[in-house]
Amino acid sequence: MDEAVERRRFLGLTAAAAALGLTATVAGCGSLGGDSGDVTLRLVAAEYDLNGGDSTKKYWTDLVAAYEAEHPGVKVEVRVESWDDVDRKVAEMVKADEAPDIAQIGSYADYAAAGELYAADELLSIPVQANFLAPLVDAGEYKRTQYGLPFVASTRSLFYNKALFKDAGVEAPTTWAELAAAAEKLKDNGVRTPFALPLGPEEAQGEALMWLLSGGGGWTDGTDRYAVDSDANIRTFEWLKQNLVGKGLTGPVAPGKLNRKAAFAAFAKGEVGMLNGHPSLLQQAAKKGVEVGQVPLPGVDGPAEAAMGVADWLMGFKQNGHRKEIGDFLNFVFSDANVLKFAGDNDLLPVTVSASTRMETEPEHADLRVFLKTLPDSQLPPVGKTSWGQVSEHIKQNIGKAVSPAGRPADVLGSISRMATAAENAE
């Protein structure tokens, strides 16, 4: 069967199953019996409000109120923590034998490896579990069992400043060669940073992966083993060093010293011609009056075949033994209305087939369509490896050296590769 036809058939089946199953799950799971407060679930969630407001807290407050109205035997206590602290605080709770019932954080693999989580099929109804987008299911698996439940997702596209592009007389690039040529013209036209390349320690593992994928590589190979110094990856970083960094097209700050937050802020000020961006940058740029163009990430010979996907995770902890109550609540969380509400409010992407299909047709989400288009075929970092946290941190601290004047891509990637292999073998 043709791959595109098979994919449409799969999406249609899962969306249909979800449309039938989600309604039954949310409306028909029923009361657990007893007086109010028979069971109290504790949920720790991450803060998503970029403006210091309380939109994340309000989302959970409203969702919990709706859930508790239908389930008088269950209370849900929500604690919202900043992204700077939430992973650490959950880890501290688990270490102190005070695990929450549910956590919404950045990683799950260590807890799955320690046997502390319920598997997805122990919690969710079949229609709800089948409704997740396939790349997110794969990324949520530890040893072929899904423990991480995707909460929201995003992909990356090439953002460009329409005014700067018009002034320089260039079009949005679709290949690496066109990207380099556009950057040259932007530089000649006085643009301070033609292309921002944030390979500093904040998010270098993500920026690097976007380029590796567009060059036909990635952090792992087809057998899910680390392949950091593959020929494709080395070629990608050699191209970056020679054609962007070496020609002075990446701005006044060395890529290894430039963090994503600073790059995004400079783009929003109109100082950057183009960069690899994620959906939330749209709001940031619009508030500063920057008109943004978006295209899929360029590749060697055309648009990249695979975009980088990113997901944040929900998980249910076993410690308190509330499997049924956790499952009922999570089935409610993954209803279309709740998924779309949170994703839409935060310029992020829904994690389910049915919610994604709805978002694609709703005019208020038109700016997200380029991201939605790439999500079903996206590739995520190897978050299912318990070694990934350690490897990711090593990449953050060192990958920028690959494009430094004294750095050799093969040497830097080889060093990271040896560290990654050792970490994986130690699992």
Side-chain angles (χ1 to χ4, degrees), residues 33-257:
D35 296 328
S36 177
D38 281 354
V39 171
T40 298
L41 298 178
R42 293 186 302 150
L43 165 65
V44 178
E47 175 63 72
Y48 285 79
D49 196 308
L50 297 175
N51 302 308
D54 64 353
S55 63
T56 300
K57 182 178 179 181
K58 185 178 187 304
Y59 170 82
W60 286 112
T61 298
D62 292 346
L63 184 150
V64 166
Y67 178 78
E68 290 178 349
E70 295 183 12
H71 301 78
V74 181
K75 291 291 185 184
V76 183
E77 295 178 353
V78 180
R79 171 177 157 188
V80 178
E81 299 281 357
S82 75
W83 271 113
D84 292 339
D85 301 322
V86 67
D87 287 275
R88 174 179 57 81
K89 289 192 175 182
V90 169
E92 290 171 352
M93 294 171 71
V94 173
K95 187 176 181 180
D97 291 328
E98 297 176 354
D101 295 285
I102 303 166
Q104 185 270 300
I105 53 178
S107 60
Y108 66 88
D110 286 347
Y111 301 120
E116 293 164 336
L117 301 181
Y118 290 115
D121 59 9
E122 295 179 286
L123 298 173
L124 302 178
S125 71
I126 292 173
V128 171
Q129 191 176 358
N131 198 28
F132 291 128
L133 290 161
L136 306 181
V137 173
D138 292 343
E141 291 183 347
Y142 172 73
K143 292 189 175 179
R144 300 187 179 180
T145 297
Q146 185 183 0
Y147 294 94
L149 314 178
F151 178 61
V152 285
S154 66
T155 60
R156 303 295 185 260
S157 67
L158 182 74
F159 283 29
Y160 63 94
N161 183 311
K162 285 187 174 181
L164 295 180
F165 265 54
K166 183 178 179 180
D167 289 346
V170 293
E171 301 291 330
T174 61
T175 67
W176 285 0
E178 291 174 1
L179 186 151
E184 289 271 17
K185 290 185 177 180
L186 289 165
K187 182 182 178 181
D188 292 343
N189 207 44
V191 176
R192 187 173 184 230
T193 303
F195 189 97
L197 183 65
L199 292 175
E202 179 192 352
E203 192 69 15
Q205 86 291 353
E207 179 71 22
L209 181 56
M210 296 180 226
W211 285 98
L212 299 183
L213 290 172
S214 64
W219 293 130
T220 56
D221 60 19
T223 65
D224 200 36
R225 305 288 291 182
Y226 286 114
V228 179
D229 60 346
S230 68
D231 290 344
N233 291 350
I234 292 171
R235 286 194 299 269
T236 293
F237 269 84
E238 286 176 341
W239 187 91
L240 283 172
K241 182 175 180 178
Q242 294 167 10
N243 295 280
L244 290 185
V245 183
K247 294 183 178 180
L249 302 178
T250 53
V253 180
K257 302 291 186 182

